[in-house]
Amino acid sequence: MTQSHLFARRVGLVGLTQLVVGLQGLILLPILTKNLSIENYGIWAQIMVTIGIVPQIALFGLPYTMVRYIPAIENKNDLQETFYSIFSIVISSTIFSSILLYLFSEKIANILFEGNLLVAHILVVIVFFECLILFFINYLRAKQYIKKYSTIMLAKTVLMISIVGYFVFSGYGIIGAVYGLLLIDIILFLILTILVYNDVGFAVPHFHNMKEYLHFGIPTVPGNLSSWVVNSSDRYVIGILLGASSVGYYSPGYSLGGIVRMFVSPLTFLLPSILSENYDKKQIENVKHILGYSFKYFMIIAIPATFGLSILSRPILTILSTPEIAEKGYLITPFVAVSMLLFGAYAIVAQIIILEKQTHISGKIWIIAAIFNLVLNFLLVPYIGIIGAAFTTLLAFGFSFIIAFIYSSKMLPFDMSLRPILKSLFSSSVMAIPIILYKPTELHNILLIIALCAAIYFALMYALKTFRDEEILFFKSLIHHR
């Protein structure tokens, strides 16, 4: 099997996994919104946002450092040295971060969780496990253990739906949901510990290359923090200025638009290790080919998804949440969907910056975008509400993509032809006509119109000769090799 075939097969497996993981949020959405008060659902949203950011900051970018350095390691002793050198710093910083969160838990509870101190205390333990889980999952990513990664993520999805759903349906409310999260993290931590230990074994590290690892990882922390500000701080700003209820109205529309991000997730998971391996072996043409291939097919899938989700936002949110949430939050989806489209494009072109080990550039990009986003949020949200937060998110992602594109094109240009994108925009516009005309409201009608529009879209793309003959043969060969 060629490297291109192997890459595409892995993209397909991770893509399927991300699809199921993405559905987790949609399945949980009606469970939570229909069984919790809007304030408690807003607290849940704040919890998830906090879980997403603390490990990214606390771990000094070291989990991602593994993804950059481990793929080229072939010797077991070198692997153990790298793994345990990084792990020693990770476990120390995780303990320190957890203690810090506990000391400030009362203030955090008052700002984010409507004064619920118990939620803040449970969150401290959850964050501890989340940091270690993130580290272990990035090891699987670095070693390209795609089946193990997919199995873990699918297991997490099943556990999230079943355990959190059970506690909420049983009437335990937001406290039960948070305890459910903690139970899930403990289970995943134990499984991942066994998997990674069986693969790495044990060794006492000597920290030979720690300076280089920290030099690579630490500059990503400001970028991670700033990226989080652009991605998620709007929930914090809305909560501070408008209250937890407004977060509850905002988050479902954001989650729906965020589905577009799902299409780039398999690429952001696989590209760093695969590109690093090729780049370090001086196989530059392979790097360009994989990047061009990734960009084209992300856009071809993400553009029609952006159109469809934007137009169908209100009926989908009505089904998945409540009519009140749908009415107040459906306009959030188009802004977020386009933002995630731009983020996906950024994530692909930014791989070049990572390959060149110029992580300080991406850090600066996100710092500027974060400042821009935060200032605009505080200016606009008090006057135009949650729409203002969605609009500033779009502007920030647009800025990040443009600047990253300028830098990466100077370092390592690759094929980013506009022709497939223009064809996709045209086909998506035609595809949207049946949705606008028929205005489906029931679930079965929505599913039928989605199937019809998908058929229209791909028929038009084929008629416009978007796919080259060798690409069609390539996909046929993938089907035959399954």
Side-chain angles (χ1 to χ4, degrees):
M1 186 181 295
T2 66
Q3 188 176 53
S4 295
H5 280 77
L6 182 60
F7 173 67
R9 291 281 295 277
R10 288 173 172 175
V11 168
L13 180 58
V14 177
L16 180 61
T17 302
Q18 293 297 331
L19 174 62
V20 176
V21 172
L23 291 176
Q24 163 197 297
L26 294 182
I27 295 170
L28 277 176
L29 184 58
I31 295 173
L32 296 170
T33 56
K34 296 178 188 294
N35 291 279
L36 298 177
S37 67
I38 192 64
E39 291 83 5
N40 280 339
Y41 177 70
I43 290 173
W44 170 268
Q46 301 285 48
I47 291 168
M48 299 309 291
V49 168
T50 306
I51 289 173
I53 182 54
V54 174
Q56 297 290 341
I57 299 172
L59 303 184
F60 303 120
L62 291 173
Y64 194 69
T65 303
M66 281 198 306
V67 179
R68 177 63 184 86
Y69 284 91
I70 280 183
I73 297 176
E74 297 179 357
N75 183 278
K76 181 69 175 284
N77 292 332
D78 292 340
L79 174 64
Q80 290 177 330
E81 169 65 22
T82 300
F83 178 85
Y84 282 107
S85 294
I86 294 175
F87 180 72
S88 299
I89 304 299
V90 163
I91 190 67
S92 302
S93 61
T94 297
I95 293 171
F96 175 78
S97 300
S98 299
I99 293 172
L100 205 61
L101 277 177
Y102 180 78
L103 293 176
F104 287 94
S105 57
E106 187 172 351
K107 290 184 178 180
I108 292 171
N110 290 331
I111 295 172
L112 300 180
F113 307 136
E114 301 289 313
N116 196 322
L117 187 59
L118 180 57
V119 167
H121 283 162
I122 301 171
L123 182 65
V124 172
V125 188
I126 291 174
V127 165
F128 174 83
F129 284 111
E130 284 286 338
C131 287
L132 298 179
I133 288 169
L134 177 66
F135 176 76
F136 288 144
I137 282 192
N138 273 277
Y139 175 78
L140 300 181
R141 181 182 179 188
K143 294 291 288 182
Q144 300 180 39
Y145 292 153
I146 307 306
K147 291 183 180 179
K148 290 180 181 179
Y149 163 81
S150 298
T151 301
I152 290 293
M153 297 307 295
L154 291 173
K156 182 178 182 179
T157 299
V158 172
L159 289 172
M160 279 286 288
I161 294 170
S162 56
I163 294 178
V164 173
Y166 169 78
F167 280 114
V168 172
F169 277 131
S170 299
Y172 292 101
I174 187 65
I175 299 299
V178 179
Y179 272 123
L181 278 178
L182 176 58
L183 178 59
I184 292 163
D185 274 356
I186 293 171
I187 294 171
L188 290 176
F189 170 74
L190 293 174
I191 294 172
L192 283 165
T193 300
I194 294 170
L195 283 176
V196 173
Y197 178 78
N198 287 339
D199 193 68
V200 182
F202 179 75
V204 177
H206 298 91
F207 305 99
H208 289 152
N209 300 311
M210 207 61 229
K211 183 177 180 181
E212 182 180 357
Y213 299 150
L214 289 170
H215 181 73
F216 179 90
I218 289 177
T220 68
V221 175
N224 289 337
L225 175 59
S226 302
S227 176
W228 173 84
V229 169
V230 176
N231 274 286
S232 305
S233 69
D234 45 7
R235 261 59 59 90
Y236 280 180
V237 174
I238 291 170
I240 293 169
L241 297 179
L242 304 179
S245 297
S246 293
V247 178
Y249 293 127
Y250 181 81
S251 293
Y254 194 103
S255 297
L256 187 61
I259 289 176
V260 175
R261 187 171 186 164
M262 176 181 70
F263 299 116
V264 80
S265 295
L267 296 173
T268 55
F269 179 87
L270 291 168
L271 284 176
S273 56
I274 292 174
L275 292 175
S276 295
E277 184 178 0
N278 281 273
Y279 188 82
D280 291 342
K281 294 178 180 179
K282 309 299 182 183
Q283 296 171 346
I284 305 302
E285 288 305 312
N286 281 348
V287 171
K288 290 182 178 181
H289 173 74
I290 292 170
L291 285 169
Y293 183 91
S294 300
F295 184 81
K296 177 179 177 180
Y297 285 95
F298 166 71
M299 299 302 286
I300 285 175
I301 295 173
I303 288 173
T306 300
F307 272 75
L309 288 168
S310 298
I311 300 171
L312 290 170
S313 176
R314 178 182 267 176
I316 291 176
L317 286 176
T318 301
I319 293 169
L320 293 179
S321 58
T322 66
E324 184 183 12
I325 289 175
E327 181 62 31
K328 293 188 177 183
Y330 78 96
L331 287 177
I332 302 302
T333 303
F335 288 101
V336 176
V338 177
S339 299
M340 295 304 107
L341 177 71
L342 293 168
F343 172 79
Y346 163 86
I348 294 170
V349 301
Q351 297 300 321
I352 297 170
I353 297 173
I354 295 167
L355 289 175
E356 297 284 345
K357 299 181 182 179
Q358 301 294 316
T359 49
H360 65 279
I361 293 176
S362 55
K364 290 176 182 177
I365 291 172
W366 285 112
I367 288 171
I368 296 171
I371 295 171
F372 176 65
N373 178 266
L374 205 56
V375 170
L376 280 182
N377 269 328
F378 276 105
L379 289 175
L380 295 181
V381 168
Y383 295 100
I384 57 177
I386 58 177
I387 296 295
F391 178 65
T392 59
T393 298
L394 174 58
L395 293 178
F397 277 114
F399 167 82
S400 300
F401 167 67
I402 291 170
I403 303 303
F405 170 75
I406 292 171
Y407 274 105
S408 62
S409 60
K410 292 178 181 178
M411 296 176 183
L412 185 68
F414 65 93
D415 183 18
M416 294 176 62
S417 174
L418 283 176
R419 188 171 297 175
I421 296 175
L422 294 175
K423 291 178 181 179
S424 181
L425 289 170
F426 171 77
S427 300
S428 298
S429 300
V430 176
M431 174 201 79
I433 294 173
I435 305 176
I436 297 170
L437 290 177
Y438 291 105
K439 297 179 182 178
T441 55
E442 301 297 327
L443 179 59
H444 67 280
N445 289 331
I446 291 174
L447 294 176
L448 285 174
I449 204 73
I450 290 174
L452 172 63
C453 290
I456 292 171
Y457 174 79
F458 284 107
L460 283 170
M461 292 292 281
Y462 181 79
L464 292 170
K465 298 181 178 180
T466 310
F467 312 105
R468 297 192 295 267
D469 290 340
E470 59 268 26
E471 293 169 346
I472 295 173
L473 290 173
F474 173 74
F475 282 110
K476 286 182 178 179
S477 69
L478 286 183
I479 295 171
H480 293 321
H481 277 89
R482 283 196 304 178

